[in-house]
Amino acid sequence: MIDTEALSCQELVELVTDYLEGALEERDLRAFEAHLANCDGCTEYLEQMRTTIRVVGTLTPNDLTQAAETVLLKAFRDWKRSS
């Protein structure tokens, strides 16, 4: 839950996945949507995330070159180790 009613751009970015999954609590959802109503940058960020999800969801293993697959797997492994 967010401590304040006003949401910063950084807080919105941290909550975007929960928003897209419909997992925000009502208070957080209201703050998220109020911020979007007044912030063109965050509205654009949200649309970029939706586009990314839509495009990536259409990829198949055959769409990646071997080099791209290697880079992505390394990035995910490195990310997992740092978590």
Side-chain angles (χ1 to χ4, degrees):
M1 171 140 340
I2 300 165
D3 292 334
T4 62
E5 283 294 318
L7 194 64
S8 71
C9 294
Q10 181 176 343
E11 289 169 319
L12 182 133
V13 167
E14 293 171 3
L15 294 173
V16 76
T17 300
D18 287 344
Y19 176 78
L20 291 169
E21 292 176 353
L24 289 179
E25 294 180 21
E26 185 63 32
R27 178 177 170 210
D28 295 344
L29 178 61
R30 284 194 313 271
F32 191 98
E33 291 178 341
H35 182 96
L36 287 176
N38 296 300
C39 185
D40 292 340
C42 286
T43 300
E44 180 65 24
Y45 174 75
L46 178 60
E47 287 309 308
Q48 289 171 350
M49 292 298 294
R50 285 180 169 145
T51 299
T52 299
I53 291 165
R54 187 173 50 256
V55 170
V56 171
T58 65
L59 293 175
T60 68
N62 293 333
D63 293 326
L64 293 177
T65 64
Q66 185 61 46
E69 181 180 356
T70 300
V71 169
L72 287 170
L73 288 173
K74 181 183 181 319
F76 289 127
R77 287 184 191 116
D78 291 347
W79 172 77
K80 187 170 183 173
R81 274 188 233 127
S82 68
S83 297

